[in-house]
Amino acid sequence: MSETIQKTPDDAAGDDSVSGASILLDEVTKKYSGQASAAVDGLTLEIPAGKIVMLVGPSGCGKTTTLKMINRLIEPSEGRIVLGGDDVTDIDGDKLRRRIGYVIQAGGLFPHMTVENNVAMVPKMLGWDKERISKRVDELLELVSLDPAQYRGRYPKELSGGQQQRVGVARALAADPPVLLMDEPFGAVDPITRQRLQDELLRIQEEVQKTIVCVTHDFDEAVKLGDWIAIFSNGAQLVQYDSPERILADPASGFVEDFIGSGAGLKQLTLARVNDVELAEAVVAHPGDDAKDTLARLDKASHNHAVIVDDRDRPISWLSRRQLGRMETISTETDRQLPVVGERATLNDALDTMLVSSAGAALVVGRRDVFRGVIDVQTIMDAITAAHDAAIQDTGHEAPVGINTGSMDQVADPKSDGGRS
Ligand code: ADP
Ligand code: MG
Protein backbone atom coordinates (compact mmCIF):
# COMPACT_ATOMS: atom_id res chain seq x y z
CA MET A 1 0.00 0.00 0.00
CA SER A 2 1.38 3.35 -0.99
CA GLU A 3 0.12 5.62 1.80
CA THR A 4 1.10 5.26 5.42
CA ILE A 5 -1.81 5.26 7.78
CA GLN A 6 -1.53 6.80 11.22
CA LYS A 7 -2.64 4.13 13.61
CA THR A 8 -3.22 4.40 17.30
CA PRO A 9 -2.01 1.46 19.37
CA ASP A 10 -5.50 0.32 20.27
CA ASP A 11 -6.48 0.11 16.62
CA ALA A 12 -7.04 -3.23 14.98
CA ALA A 13 -5.90 -5.05 18.10
CA GLY A 14 -2.40 -5.69 16.79
CA ASP A 15 -3.47 -7.33 13.54
CA ASP A 16 -0.95 -6.02 11.00
CA SER A 17 -3.02 -6.85 7.94
CA VAL A 18 -5.85 -4.54 9.06
CA SER A 19 -5.44 -1.06 7.59
CA GLY A 20 -8.79 0.18 8.86
CA ALA A 21 -9.35 2.44 11.85
CA SER A 22 -12.03 2.12 14.50
CA ILE A 23 -14.84 4.68 14.55
CA LEU A 24 -16.79 5.79 17.58
CA LEU A 25 -19.97 7.81 17.37
CA ASP A 26 -20.29 9.19 20.88
CA GLU A 27 -23.78 10.39 21.80
CA VAL A 28 -24.23 11.95 18.39
CA THR A 29 -27.37 13.93 17.60
CA LYS A 30 -28.47 15.68 14.41
CA LYS A 31 -31.39 18.01 14.48
CA TYR A 32 -32.14 19.64 11.12
CA SER A 33 -33.52 23.15 11.44
CA GLY A 34 -37.26 23.27 11.10
CA GLN A 35 -37.68 19.57 11.99
CA ALA A 36 -39.65 18.69 15.10
CA SER A 37 -37.65 15.60 16.07
CA ALA A 38 -33.99 14.71 15.73
CA ALA A 39 -32.95 12.77 12.59
CA VAL A 40 -30.32 11.05 14.74
CA ASP A 41 -31.01 11.05 18.45
CA GLY A 42 -28.14 10.52 20.89
CA LEU A 43 -26.56 7.63 19.01
CA THR A 44 -23.52 5.87 20.44
CA LEU A 45 -22.06 3.29 18.07
CA GLU A 46 -18.72 1.50 18.15
CA ILE A 47 -17.43 0.43 14.76
CA PRO A 48 -14.49 -1.94 15.11
CA ALA A 49 -11.40 -1.53 12.89
CA GLY A 50 -11.24 -3.66 9.77
CA LYS A 51 -14.89 -4.74 9.90
CA ILE A 52 -17.90 -4.15 7.67
CA VAL A 53 -20.79 -2.60 9.58
CA MET A 54 -24.12 -2.36 7.79
CA LEU A 55 -26.65 0.32 8.72
CA VAL A 56 -30.16 -0.78 7.85
CA GLY A 57 -33.65 0.45 8.54
CA PRO A 58 -36.72 1.94 6.85
CA SER A 59 -36.52 4.98 4.60
CA GLY A 60 -36.03 8.23 6.52
CA CYS A 61 -34.81 6.58 9.73
CA GLY A 62 -31.51 8.48 9.68
CA LYS A 63 -29.03 6.11 7.96
CA THR A 64 -27.59 8.63 5.50
CA THR A 65 -27.45 11.33 8.16
CA THR A 66 -25.51 8.99 10.44
CA LEU A 67 -23.08 8.08 7.65
CA LYS A 68 -22.49 11.66 6.56
CA MET A 69 -21.73 12.77 10.09
CA ILE A 70 -18.75 10.38 10.07
CA ASN A 71 -17.06 12.34 7.25
CA ARG A 72 -18.78 15.57 8.29
CA LEU A 73 -20.65 16.14 5.09
CA ILE A 74 -23.23 16.80 7.80
CA GLU A 75 -22.19 18.55 11.01
CA PRO A 76 -23.49 16.86 14.17
CA SER A 77 -25.59 19.13 16.40
CA GLU A 78 -24.20 17.36 19.45
CA GLY A 79 -21.76 14.60 20.31
CA ARG A 80 -18.29 13.48 19.23
CA ILE A 81 -16.83 11.46 16.36
CA VAL A 82 -13.65 9.56 17.20
CA LEU A 83 -11.57 8.09 14.36
CA GLY A 84 -8.77 5.66 15.23
CA GLY A 85 -8.68 7.06 18.74
CA ASP A 86 -8.51 10.74 17.62
CA ASP A 87 -11.39 13.10 18.25
CA VAL A 88 -12.10 14.45 14.76
CA THR A 89 -15.27 16.33 15.64
CA ASP A 90 -13.63 19.71 15.16
CA ILE A 91 -10.92 19.10 12.57
CA ASP A 92 -11.27 20.59 9.09
CA GLY A 93 -13.93 18.64 7.17
CA ASP A 94 -12.05 18.75 3.84
CA LYS A 95 -8.94 17.29 5.44
CA LEU A 96 -10.99 14.65 7.21
CA ARG A 97 -12.63 13.53 3.96
CA ARG A 98 -9.22 12.73 2.47
CA ARG A 99 -8.88 10.09 5.19
CA ILE A 100 -12.29 8.65 4.46
CA GLY A 101 -13.37 7.12 1.16
CA TYR A 102 -16.97 7.73 0.13
CA VAL A 103 -18.98 5.71 -2.38
CA ILE A 104 -22.51 6.52 -3.47
CA GLN A 105 -25.00 5.02 -5.90
CA ALA A 106 -23.69 4.63 -9.46
CA GLY A 107 -20.22 5.54 -8.20
CA GLY A 108 -20.93 9.30 -8.17
CA LEU A 109 -18.35 9.78 -10.92
CA PHE A 110 -17.67 13.11 -12.61
CA PRO A 111 -19.08 12.66 -16.11
CA HIS A 112 -16.63 15.05 -17.81
CA MET A 113 -13.56 13.27 -16.39
CA THR A 114 -11.94 10.07 -17.64
CA VAL A 115 -11.79 7.02 -15.40
CA GLU A 116 -8.13 7.82 -14.74
CA ASN A 117 -8.85 11.38 -13.65
CA ASN A 118 -11.79 10.32 -11.51
CA VAL A 119 -9.62 7.81 -9.66
CA ALA A 120 -6.66 10.21 -9.42
CA MET A 121 -8.64 13.03 -7.85
CA VAL A 122 -7.71 12.68 -4.18
CA PRO A 123 -4.04 11.74 -4.84
CA LYS A 124 -3.79 14.92 -6.97
CA MET A 125 -5.24 17.01 -4.14
CA LEU A 126 -2.70 15.40 -1.83
CA GLY A 127 0.06 16.52 -4.19
CA TRP A 128 1.40 13.11 -5.22
CA ASP A 129 3.80 13.14 -8.19
CA LYS A 130 2.60 12.02 -11.62
CA GLU A 131 4.40 8.70 -11.63
CA ARG A 132 3.07 7.66 -8.24
CA ILE A 133 -0.49 8.62 -9.24
CA SER A 134 -0.26 6.73 -12.51
CA LYS A 135 0.99 3.60 -10.77
CA ARG A 136 -1.73 3.88 -8.17
CA VAL A 137 -4.48 4.23 -10.80
CA ASP A 138 -3.32 1.02 -12.52
CA GLU A 139 -3.10 -0.80 -9.20
CA LEU A 140 -6.64 0.25 -8.24
CA LEU A 141 -8.20 -0.58 -11.58
CA GLU A 142 -6.61 -4.04 -11.33
CA LEU A 143 -7.99 -4.33 -7.79
CA VAL A 144 -11.54 -3.72 -9.01
CA SER A 145 -11.05 -6.07 -12.00
CA LEU A 146 -10.94 -3.44 -14.76
CA ASP A 147 -8.08 -3.74 -17.26
CA PRO A 148 -6.23 -0.40 -16.97
CA ALA A 149 -5.15 -0.39 -20.62
CA GLN A 150 -8.76 -0.70 -21.69
CA TYR A 151 -10.51 1.56 -19.18
CA ARG A 152 -8.18 4.39 -18.07
CA GLY A 153 -9.18 6.72 -20.90
CA ARG A 154 -12.91 6.05 -20.93
CA TYR A 155 -15.61 8.41 -19.73
CA PRO A 156 -18.25 7.23 -17.24
CA LYS A 157 -20.99 7.14 -19.90
CA GLU A 158 -18.87 4.61 -21.82
CA LEU A 159 -19.12 2.17 -18.91
CA SER A 160 -21.88 -0.15 -17.67
CA GLY A 161 -23.52 0.61 -14.33
CA GLY A 162 -21.48 -2.11 -12.65
CA GLN A 163 -18.24 -0.79 -14.13
CA GLN A 164 -19.05 2.74 -12.97
CA GLN A 165 -19.60 1.39 -9.49
CA ARG A 166 -16.22 -0.36 -9.61
CA VAL A 167 -14.52 2.90 -10.60
CA GLY A 168 -16.34 4.59 -7.71
CA VAL A 169 -14.83 2.05 -5.31
CA ALA A 170 -11.37 2.49 -6.89
CA ARG A 171 -11.67 6.25 -6.49
CA ALA A 172 -12.70 5.96 -2.85
CA LEU A 173 -9.70 3.73 -2.12
CA ALA A 174 -7.21 5.90 -4.05
CA ALA A 175 -5.35 7.45 -1.14
CA ASP A 176 -5.63 4.25 0.88
CA PRO A 177 -7.97 5.71 3.51
CA PRO A 178 -8.55 3.64 6.65
CA VAL A 179 -12.31 4.09 6.36
CA LEU A 180 -14.76 3.58 3.50
CA LEU A 181 -18.31 4.90 3.72
CA MET A 182 -20.87 3.54 1.25
CA ASP A 183 -24.44 4.78 0.82
CA GLU A 184 -26.64 2.24 -0.98
CA PRO A 185 -23.72 1.60 -3.35
CA PHE A 186 -25.36 -1.18 -5.34
CA GLY A 187 -28.87 0.26 -5.49
CA ALA A 188 -28.73 1.25 -9.15
CA VAL A 189 -27.66 -2.00 -10.82
CA ASP A 190 -29.52 -5.15 -11.86
CA PRO A 191 -29.67 -8.07 -9.38
CA ILE A 192 -27.01 -10.25 -11.03
CA THR A 193 -24.53 -7.36 -11.38
CA ARG A 194 -25.34 -6.39 -7.82
CA GLN A 195 -24.49 -9.88 -6.64
CA ARG A 196 -21.14 -9.81 -8.45
CA LEU A 197 -20.26 -6.36 -7.11
CA GLN A 198 -21.05 -7.54 -3.58
CA ASP A 199 -18.79 -10.58 -4.09
CA GLU A 200 -16.11 -8.29 -5.38
CA LEU A 201 -16.37 -5.94 -2.43
CA LEU A 202 -15.88 -8.92 -0.11
CA ARG A 203 -12.85 -10.04 -2.10
CA ILE A 204 -11.36 -6.52 -2.04
CA GLN A 205 -12.04 -6.24 1.67
CA GLU A 206 -10.09 -9.47 2.25
CA GLU A 207 -7.12 -7.70 0.66
CA VAL A 208 -7.46 -4.21 2.11
CA GLN A 209 -9.23 -4.79 5.46
CA LYS A 210 -10.65 -1.30 5.73
CA THR A 211 -13.29 -0.23 8.17
CA ILE A 212 -16.39 -0.11 6.01
CA VAL A 213 -19.68 1.47 7.02
CA CYS A 214 -22.35 0.72 4.46
CA VAL A 215 -25.96 1.90 4.30
CA THR A 216 -28.57 -0.31 2.69
CA HIS A 217 -32.32 -0.78 2.82
CA ASP A 218 -31.85 -4.39 1.68
CA PHE A 219 -31.65 -6.75 4.62
CA ASP A 220 -30.26 -9.59 2.50
CA GLU A 221 -27.41 -7.32 1.43
CA ALA A 222 -26.74 -6.47 5.08
CA VAL A 223 -26.57 -10.15 6.00
CA LYS A 224 -24.31 -10.94 3.07
CA LEU A 225 -21.81 -8.12 3.54
CA GLY A 226 -21.93 -7.29 7.25
CA ASP A 227 -19.67 -8.47 10.03
CA TRP A 228 -22.09 -6.50 12.17
CA ILE A 229 -25.53 -5.10 11.40
CA ALA A 230 -27.07 -2.06 13.08
CA ILE A 231 -30.85 -2.00 12.67
CA PHE A 232 -32.38 1.44 13.12
CA SER A 233 -35.90 2.68 13.62
CA ASN A 234 -36.85 6.38 13.25
CA GLY A 235 -34.40 8.87 14.71
CA ALA A 236 -31.58 6.34 14.21
CA GLN A 237 -32.83 4.52 17.29
CA LEU A 238 -30.70 1.40 17.47
CA VAL A 239 -33.02 -1.55 17.76
CA GLN A 240 -30.39 -4.27 17.45
CA TYR A 241 -26.64 -4.29 16.82
CA ASP A 242 -25.24 -7.75 16.39
CA SER A 243 -23.87 -10.32 13.96
CA PRO A 244 -26.09 -11.37 11.03
CA GLU A 245 -26.23 -14.88 12.48
CA ARG A 246 -27.56 -13.68 15.83
CA ILE A 247 -30.03 -11.23 14.33
CA LEU A 248 -31.53 -13.97 12.19
CA ALA A 249 -31.55 -16.55 14.94
CA ASP A 250 -32.70 -14.22 17.70
CA PRO A 251 -34.33 -10.95 16.55
CA ALA A 252 -34.40 -8.46 19.42
CA SER A 253 -37.96 -7.31 18.85
CA GLY A 254 -41.08 -7.42 16.75
CA PHE A 255 -39.71 -4.50 14.76
CA VAL A 256 -36.64 -6.54 13.77
CA GLU A 257 -38.79 -9.56 12.94
CA ASP A 258 -40.92 -7.43 10.65
CA PHE A 259 -37.84 -5.93 9.09
CA ILE A 260 -36.27 -9.32 8.41
CA GLY A 261 -39.53 -10.16 6.76
CA SER A 262 -41.12 -13.45 5.95
CA GLY A 263 -39.11 -16.51 5.10
CA ALA A 264 -36.55 -16.07 7.88
CA GLY A 265 -35.66 -19.72 7.26
CA LEU A 266 -34.71 -18.90 3.71
CA LYS A 267 -32.64 -15.96 4.97
CA GLN A 268 -30.26 -18.52 6.41
CA LEU A 269 -29.26 -19.02 2.79
CA THR A 270 -27.72 -15.57 2.87
CA LEU A 271 -25.43 -16.58 5.73
CA ALA A 272 -23.72 -19.46 3.98
CA ARG A 273 -21.34 -18.93 1.08
CA VAL A 274 -20.75 -21.03 -1.94
CA ASN A 275 -17.19 -21.66 -0.73
CA ASP A 276 -18.58 -23.07 2.54
CA VAL A 277 -20.12 -26.07 0.81
CA GLU A 278 -18.55 -28.98 -0.98
CA LEU A 279 -18.69 -28.56 -4.74
CA ALA A 280 -19.31 -31.40 -7.15
CA GLU A 281 -16.66 -32.20 -9.74
CA ALA A 282 -17.40 -31.95 -13.42
CA VAL A 283 -16.12 -33.36 -16.67
CA VAL A 284 -14.13 -30.50 -18.21
CA ALA A 285 -13.24 -30.09 -21.87
CA HIS A 286 -11.85 -27.42 -24.20
CA PRO A 287 -13.00 -25.98 -27.50
CA GLY A 288 -11.51 -28.07 -30.31
CA ASP A 289 -11.50 -31.29 -28.24
CA ASP A 290 -12.98 -34.38 -29.85
CA ALA A 291 -16.71 -34.60 -28.95
CA LYS A 292 -16.75 -38.44 -28.90
CA ASP A 293 -13.85 -38.54 -26.45
CA THR A 294 -15.71 -36.12 -24.23
CA LEU A 295 -18.86 -38.28 -24.40
CA ALA A 296 -16.78 -41.30 -23.42
CA ARG A 297 -15.47 -39.38 -20.41
CA LEU A 298 -19.06 -38.47 -19.46
CA ASP A 299 -19.97 -42.19 -19.61
CA LYS A 300 -17.07 -43.10 -17.38
CA ALA A 301 -17.99 -40.44 -14.79
CA SER A 302 -21.77 -41.12 -15.14
CA HIS A 303 -22.36 -37.43 -15.87
CA ASN A 304 -24.75 -35.86 -18.35
CA HIS A 305 -23.01 -32.52 -18.94
CA ALA A 306 -19.49 -31.34 -19.69
CA VAL A 307 -18.14 -27.93 -18.70
CA ILE A 308 -16.24 -26.27 -21.53
CA VAL A 309 -13.49 -23.87 -20.39
CA ASP A 310 -11.29 -21.48 -22.39
CA ASP A 311 -7.49 -21.39 -22.36
CA ARG A 312 -7.58 -19.51 -19.05
CA ASP A 313 -9.89 -22.11 -17.46
CA ARG A 314 -12.92 -19.83 -17.52
CA PRO A 315 -16.21 -21.62 -18.28
CA ILE A 316 -17.73 -20.71 -21.64
CA SER A 317 -20.47 -23.33 -22.02
CA TRP A 318 -22.06 -26.33 -20.37
CA LEU A 319 -22.97 -28.97 -22.95
CA SER A 320 -25.40 -31.86 -22.66
CA ARG A 321 -24.81 -35.30 -24.19
CA ARG A 322 -27.30 -34.37 -26.90
CA GLN A 323 -25.44 -31.19 -27.80
CA LEU A 324 -22.11 -33.03 -27.83
CA GLY A 325 -23.64 -35.76 -30.01
CA ARG A 326 -24.26 -33.15 -32.72
CA MET A 327 -20.64 -31.99 -32.77
CA GLU A 328 -17.42 -33.46 -34.10
CA THR A 329 -15.15 -31.14 -32.20
CA ILE A 330 -16.29 -28.96 -29.33
CA SER A 331 -17.44 -25.53 -30.45
CA THR A 332 -15.79 -22.28 -29.33
CA GLU A 333 -19.20 -20.69 -28.79
CA THR A 334 -19.75 -18.81 -25.53
CA ASP A 335 -23.10 -19.30 -23.79
CA ARG A 336 -24.21 -15.86 -22.55
CA GLN A 337 -26.84 -17.39 -20.26
CA LEU A 338 -24.39 -19.65 -18.42
CA PRO A 339 -25.39 -19.91 -14.72
CA VAL A 340 -22.16 -18.80 -13.03
CA VAL A 341 -21.59 -17.73 -9.42
CA GLY A 342 -18.49 -16.56 -7.56
CA GLU A 343 -17.14 -18.41 -4.53
CA ARG A 344 -18.13 -15.56 -2.23
CA ALA A 345 -21.69 -15.57 -3.49
CA THR A 346 -24.24 -16.58 -0.89
CA LEU A 347 -26.30 -19.71 -1.32
CA ASN A 348 -29.19 -17.33 -1.87
CA ASP A 349 -27.35 -15.77 -4.84
CA ALA A 350 -26.62 -19.25 -6.19
CA LEU A 351 -30.27 -20.20 -5.95
CA ASP A 352 -31.26 -16.96 -7.73
CA THR A 353 -28.81 -17.68 -10.50
CA MET A 354 -30.26 -21.17 -10.95
CA LEU A 355 -33.79 -19.80 -11.05
CA VAL A 356 -32.90 -17.17 -13.65
CA SER A 357 -31.31 -19.75 -15.94
CA SER A 358 -33.83 -22.50 -15.04
CA ALA A 359 -30.91 -24.87 -14.41
CA GLY A 360 -30.85 -27.14 -11.36
CA ALA A 361 -27.23 -26.25 -10.74
CA ALA A 362 -24.67 -23.50 -11.25
CA LEU A 363 -20.99 -23.31 -12.16
CA VAL A 364 -18.75 -21.87 -9.47
CA VAL A 365 -15.80 -19.70 -10.41
CA GLY A 366 -12.94 -18.45 -8.24
CA ARG A 367 -10.32 -15.77 -8.74
CA ARG A 368 -10.05 -14.49 -12.32
CA ASP A 369 -13.21 -16.46 -13.11
CA VAL A 370 -11.42 -19.81 -13.10
CA PHE A 371 -13.81 -22.80 -12.98
CA ARG A 372 -13.93 -24.46 -9.54
CA GLY A 373 -16.85 -26.90 -9.54
CA VAL A 374 -20.61 -27.30 -9.61
CA ILE A 375 -23.19 -26.46 -6.94
CA ASP A 376 -26.69 -27.92 -7.10
CA VAL A 377 -30.06 -27.30 -5.46
CA GLN A 378 -29.82 -30.27 -3.09
CA THR A 379 -26.49 -29.07 -1.68
CA ILE A 380 -28.11 -25.72 -0.98
CA MET A 381 -31.13 -27.25 0.74
CA ASP A 382 -28.87 -29.36 3.00
CA ALA A 383 -26.87 -26.27 3.90
CA ILE A 384 -29.93 -24.30 5.10
CA THR A 385 -30.53 -26.73 7.93
CA ALA A 386 -26.88 -26.77 8.93
CA ALA A 387 -26.58 -22.96 8.91
CA HIS A 388 -29.66 -22.56 11.05
CA ASP A 389 -28.49 -25.06 13.66
CA ALA A 390 -25.07 -23.40 13.87
CA ALA A 391 -26.55 -19.92 14.39
CA ILE A 392 -28.78 -21.05 17.24
CA GLN A 393 -25.75 -22.48 19.07
CA ASP A 394 -23.49 -19.41 18.61
CA THR A 395 -23.94 -17.50 21.87
CA GLY A 396 -20.31 -17.09 22.95
CA HIS A 397 -19.36 -13.92 21.05
CA GLU A 398 -19.18 -10.30 22.13
CA ALA A 399 -20.91 -7.67 20.02
CA PRO A 400 -19.59 -4.09 19.81
CA VAL A 401 -21.44 -1.46 21.85
CA GLY A 402 -24.40 0.48 20.53
CA ILE A 403 -26.88 2.56 22.46
CA ASN A 404 -29.06 5.68 22.22
CA THR A 405 -28.97 8.25 24.97
CA GLY A 406 -31.36 10.64 23.26
CA SER A 407 -34.86 11.53 24.32
CA MET A 408 -36.23 8.11 23.42
CA ASP A 409 -33.67 6.17 25.52
CA GLN A 410 -33.31 2.67 24.29
CA VAL A 411 -30.58 0.09 24.58
CA ALA A 412 -29.81 -2.26 21.71
CA ASP A 413 -28.97 -5.34 23.67
CA PRO A 414 -29.78 -8.66 22.05
CA LYS A 415 -31.03 -9.93 25.38
CA SER A 416 -33.32 -6.95 26.07
CA ASP A 417 -36.63 -6.19 24.50
CA GLY A 418 -35.09 -3.47 22.26
CA GLY A 419 -37.72 -1.98 20.00
CA ARG A 420 -40.96 -3.53 21.23
CA SER A 421 -42.84 -0.72 22.82
P1 ADP B 1 -32.37 7.50 5.44
O1 ADP B 1 -31.01 7.62 4.81
O2 ADP B 1 -32.45 6.48 6.52
O3 ADP B 1 -33.45 7.32 4.44
P2 ADP B 1 -31.97 10.31 6.16
O4 ADP B 1 -30.80 10.31 7.06
O5 ADP B 1 -31.75 10.74 4.77
O6 ADP B 1 -32.68 8.88 6.22
O7 ADP B 1 -33.08 11.25 6.78
C1 ADP B 1 -33.47 11.18 8.15
C2 ADP B 1 -34.53 12.23 8.43
O8 ADP B 1 -33.98 13.52 8.30
C3 ADP B 1 -35.71 12.18 7.46
O9 ADP B 1 -36.87 12.49 8.19
C4 ADP B 1 -35.38 13.27 6.46
O10 ADP B 1 -36.55 13.80 5.92
C5 ADP B 1 -34.66 14.29 7.32
N1 ADP B 1 -33.64 15.03 6.55
C6 ADP B 1 -32.63 14.51 5.82
N2 ADP B 1 -31.87 15.47 5.27
C7 ADP B 1 -32.44 16.65 5.64
C8 ADP B 1 -32.12 18.03 5.40
N3 ADP B 1 -31.07 18.39 4.66
N4 ADP B 1 -32.95 18.95 5.95
C9 ADP B 1 -33.99 18.61 6.70
N5 ADP B 1 -34.34 17.35 6.99
C10 ADP B 1 -33.58 16.37 6.46
MG1 MG C 1 -30.44 7.43 2.77
Side-chain angles (χ1 to χ4, degrees):
M1 291 281 137
S2 33
E3 177 95 333
T4 327
I5 304 297
Q6 292 278 305
K7 269 201 256 181
T8 55
D10 65 329
D11 250 351
D15 183 348
D16 285 345
S17 55
V18 174
S19 66
S22 63
I23 304 166
L24 173 66
L25 302 182
D26 184 16
E27 300 196 20
V28 171
T29 290
K30 178 66 190 182
K31 216 170 165 219
Y32 290 108
S33 57
Q35 299 278 354
S37 54
V40 174
D41 192 16
L43 174 66
T44 292
L45 193 68
E46 256 181 33
I47 296 167
K51 300 291 178 199
I52 302 183
V53 171
M54 304 297 292
L55 310 183
V56 299
S59 177
C61 70
K63 304 180 294 294
T64 295
T65 303
T66 301
L67 195 75
K68 285 183 170 173
M69 284 195 289
I70 297 174
N71 67 359
R72 299 250 309 289
L73 282 171
I74 291 175
E75 294 289 339
S77 319
E78 282 170 49
R80 289 191 316 148
I81 312 279
V82 181
L83 182 66
D86 303 329
D87 188 334
V88 293
T89 322
D90 296 316
I91 81 164
D92 178 66
D94 285 331
K95 280 209 185 99
L96 177 67
R97 285 188 283 279
R98 284 171 212 158
R99 289 170 61 188
I100 300 181
Y102 186 51
V103 184
I104 57 172
Q105 219 170 70
L109 302 178
F110 294 106
H112 58 285
M113 282 188 194
T114 60
V115 164
E116 172 172 16
N117 286 331
N118 266 288
V119 175
M121 221 174 57
V122 175
K124 273 184 189 161
M125 287 193 301
L126 292 172
W128 294 16
D129 64 59
K130 274 206 173 114
E131 203 180 324
R132 184 177 174 203
I133 293 177
S134 175
K135 235 181 97 197
R136 183 68 178 150
V137 169
D138 283 354
E139 196 176 287
L140 285 158
L141 291 178
E142 296 271 5
L143 180 72
V144 299
S145 305
L146 292 172
D147 176 13
Q150 204 178 340
Y151 291 101
R152 282 183 87 112
R154 291 211 193 170
Y155 286 89
K157 66 171 189 304
E158 299 167 325
L159 303 174
S160 71
Q163 290 168 337
Q164 289 180 27
Q165 196 59 55
R166 288 192 171 94
V167 176
V169 171
R171 184 176 67 179
L173 288 171
D176 203 16
V179 171
L180 204 56
L181 306 180
M182 310 181 92
D183 198 344
E184 313 227 5
F186 310 131
V189 295
D190 66 87
I192 296 292
T193 304
R194 185 186 181 102
Q195 180 187 311
R196 299 216 85 176
L197 288 171
Q198 292 166 342
D199 295 350
E200 205 147 291
L201 179 69
L202 290 171
R203 180 193 46 84
I204 291 170
Q205 171 66 350
E206 243 169 57
E207 270 179 52
V208 300
Q209 302 209 27
K210 301 297 178 190
T211 305
I212 300 179
V213 188
C214 179
V215 165
T216 181
H217 61 263
D218 176 357
F219 189 72
D220 288 343
E221 180 164 271
V223 170
K224 176 172 179 179
L225 297 179
D227 292 303
W228 303 104
I229 300 177
I231 301 179
F232 291 140
S233 64
N234 269 339
Q237 290 293 313
L238 201 47
V239 183
Q240 188 165 15
Y241 187 31
D242 212 328
S243 66
E245 289 80 2
R246 291 295 305 162
I247 289 175
L248 282 172
D250 189 14
S253 69
F255 177 87
V256 177
E257 275 169 32
D258 289 347
F259 196 73
I260 292 172
S262 57
L266 271 180
K267 302 272 175 194
Q268 301 290 342
L269 281 177
T270 312
L271 287 171
R273 311 281 157 167
V274 166
N275 60 3
D276 295 335
V277 302
E278 199 166 332
L279 303 179
E281 285 180 19
V283 170
V284 174
H286 295 87
D289 284 0
D290 187 78
K292 279 213 178 65
D293 284 354
T294 308
L295 278 166
R297 287 168 57 215
L298 285 178
D299 284 339
K300 209 166 155 205
S302 312
H303 284 191
N304 290 318
H305 293 80
V307 177
I308 314 306
V309 300
D310 68 9
D311 54 1
R312 289 166 69 183
D313 291 329
R314 298 174 298 198
I316 58 168
S317 63
W318 203 2
L319 301 179
S320 65
R321 284 169 179 275
R322 201 144 56 105
Q323 287 169 302
L324 284 164
R326 288 197 295 260
M327 296 173 182
E328 249 172 60
T329 58
I330 290 174
S331 122
T332 55
E333 205 173 317
T334 298
D335 177 359
R336 299 273 160 218
Q337 308 295 320
L338 207 57
V340 173
V341 290
E343 302 173 281
R344 286 173 184 77
T346 66
L347 296 186
N348 199 28
D349 295 335
L351 204 55
D352 272 355
T353 303
M354 292 176 199
L355 289 175
V356 166
S357 68
S358 29
L363 303 178
V364 178
V365 295
R367 229 187 135 86
R368 304 196 187 287
D369 292 333
V370 166
F371 176 62
R372 296 283 316 278
V374 172
I375 183 167
D376 63 20
V377 172
Q378 190 54 49
T379 309
I380 292 179
M381 292 309 161
D382 294 347
I384 303 180
T385 328
H388 185 74
D389 293 350
I392 294 283
Q393 281 155 22
D394 169 35
T395 50
H397 75 285
E398 260 178 62
V401 171
I403 189 174
N404 290 86
T405 47
S407 53
M408 304 179 268
D409 273 8
Q410 197 172 49
V411 180
D413 177 339
K415 288 170 284 301
S416 83
D417 188 26
R420 226 192 302 256
S421 52

